[in-house]
Amino acid sequence: MSEFFEVGALVRHPDRPDWGLGQVQSIIGTRVTVNFEEIGKVVINSDEVALRVVRPDWL
């Protein structure tokens, strides 16, 4: 995991900008469930994908 984030954090998938902004729904070990604007809920392995945290002032 390259960045620390928590439930409720706003994130972007580095390889899927078309998914839009996502909000972290749950974190269990390395499994992170994110609800993205354009595709809905996706479970991501944080060992394989370094989600990028989006600060609210960057929106």
Side-chain angles (χ1 to χ4, degrees):
M1 207 180 316
S2 66
E3 291 195 60
F4 173 79
F5 47 84
E6 58 189 22
V7 172
L10 299 176
V11 296
R12 291 194 186 274
H13 190 296
D15 300 324
R16 299 292 192 153
D18 55 311
W19 288 4
L21 192 62
Q23 184 177 39
V24 175
Q25 303 293 299
S26 68
I27 304 169
I28 301 172
T30 61
R31 294 170 48 111
V32 181
T33 302
V34 181
N35 190 17
F36 287 97
E37 292 174 312
E38 301 300 326
I39 63 160
K41 286 190 180 178
V42 177
V43 177
I44 294 173
N45 181 340
S46 63
D47 282 343
E48 296 177 13
V49 177
L51 294 170
R52 296 190 181 137
V53 175
V54 177
R55 290 183 12 201
D57 58 328
W58 292 353
L59 296 176

